[in-house]
Amino acid sequence: MRNRVMAGNWKMNKTYSEAVELATGLAAELKDGTGSVDVIVAPPAVDLKGVAEVIEQEKAPFALSAQNVYFEESGAYTGETAPSMLESVGATYCIIGHSERRGYFGETDEDINKKAKKLMEHGIIPISCCGEPLEVREAGTHVEFVTDQIKKDTEGLQITDPSKYIIAYEPIWAIGTGKTATADDAQEVCGAIRKTLAEIFGQETADGIRILYGGSAKPTNVAGFLEKDDVDGALVGGASLKADSFAAMVKAAM
């Protein structure tokens, strides 16, 4: 049985003090625990240490994720962050391949593959994103598009513990647009992702990898997605920026 996952991607929001306040509020909202749901928050890099301290001090029932990483250990890579640096501030997860990174910063499947391998060397769990733009969805080739991303992003990965690798399916046309894929839309693609994972890693491993839905997920619609067999949780954007709304989504998953 796969544990569900609720992950909050704060994107480029919240100053250091605001992030501490949000994390403290979320800890209070979830003080009674999260059952078997794995809860993750991903603040901006400058806020990671402050949120880590809240998690430690409040014994908060959620884990810390970074929003990005570079695939080198150190060096002349101004502005980048190495996996060991994430480790040092308590991050145990890291989002990679988000459509905003792919679209705005030109990240490729090869980059995402390198990042996944480097994170896994350091025991940090990748949350690897995939998803199609509107023109691909309208052309009806979205399943092929996404499964091709999966094949490239996982090439050469060694997954001995499937709970240590997470995929987030985020249809690009539904991120920050107010548009939302239906639960059936999500299941179609998440089911195809799991089938592709089975072809690559074998059915047992594929059955253990959590696949999340992302794209305008919020308290009013998350339950519908969670009813689907191959949707194991959500990667949440705007709705994770308020402690009460994100906590409501966590409770819906319990």
Side-chain angles (χ1 to χ4, degrees):
M1 185 66 180
R2 300 183 295 268
N3 281 1
R4 286 176 168 172
V5 177
M6 296 300 295
N9 177 14
W10 298 358
K11 305 191 180 185
M12 197 177 73
N13 294 290
K14 304 300 180 183
T15 64
Y16 187 92
S17 59
E18 290 170 343
V20 168
E21 181 180 5
L22 176 54
T24 303
L26 184 60
E29 290 279 351
L30 299 176
K31 65 182 184 301
D32 295 327
T34 63
S36 60
V37 180
D38 294 334
V39 182
I40 304 161
V41 297
V46 296
D47 299 339
L48 285 168
K49 183 61 175 174
V51 174
E53 290 175 352
V54 171
I55 292 172
E56 181 179 3
Q57 292 166 6
E58 302 295 329
K59 296 182 172 54
F62 48 85
L64 184 66
S65 174
Q67 296 180 13
N68 189 32
V69 71
Y70 196 54
F71 47 75
E72 297 290 351
E73 296 288 352
S74 62
Y77 305 104
T78 300
E80 296 294 340
T81 306
S84 59
M85 298 172 182
L86 300 183
E87 277 186 293
S88 72
V89 294
T92 51
Y93 295 81
C94 182
I95 299 169
I96 55 174
H98 193 281
S99 64
E100 291 160 1
R101 297 294 314 175
R102 293 176 188 257
Y104 298 149
F105 303 102
E107 292 189 4
T108 65
D109 288 307
E110 181 183 9
D111 294 329
I112 286 116
N113 179 258
K114 289 179 180 178
K115 291 181 180 189
K117 289 174 178 174
K118 188 58 67 174
L119 287 168
M120 293 169 81
E121 285 178 17
H122 285 263
I124 298 173
I125 299 173
I127 302 174
S128 188
C129 300
C130 58
E132 80 280 4
L134 182 60
E135 61 269 22
V136 171
R137 164 65 64 165
E138 291 180 338
T141 56
H142 50 286
V143 171
E144 295 87 345
F145 182 92
V146 172
T147 54
D148 184 61
Q149 285 183 319
I150 295 298
K151 291 172 185 176
K152 292 174 180 176
D153 295 348
T154 62
E155 185 176 357
L157 292 189
Q158 301 296 316
I159 300 179
T160 55
D161 181 350
S163 70
K164 303 300 185 185
Y165 183 76
I166 296 173
I167 290 173
Y169 166 59
E170 295 196 307
I172 297 170
W173 49 271
I175 299 174
T177 63
K179 296 180 180 180
T180 309
T182 67
D184 288 338
D185 290 337
Q187 172 58 32
E188 177 193 26
V189 180
C190 291
I193 290 171
R194 199 173 307 282
K195 182 178 178 181
T196 301
L197 292 171
E199 293 168 357
I200 298 168
F201 298 109
Q203 193 66 55
E204 184 176 357
T205 297
D207 285 342
I209 293 174
R210 273 84 60 83
I211 304 173
L212 315 183
Y213 170 76
S216 299
K218 46 189 176 288
T220 55
N221 65 17
V222 70
F225 292 105
L226 295 173
E227 291 175 355
K228 298 301 179 179
D229 290 343
D230 291 299
V231 180
D232 302 308
L235 179 58
V236 184
S240 71
L241 295 175
K242 293 185 178 180
D244 56 352
S245 66
F246 189 53
M249 297 182 75
V250 172
K251 291 169 185 175
M254 290 170 62

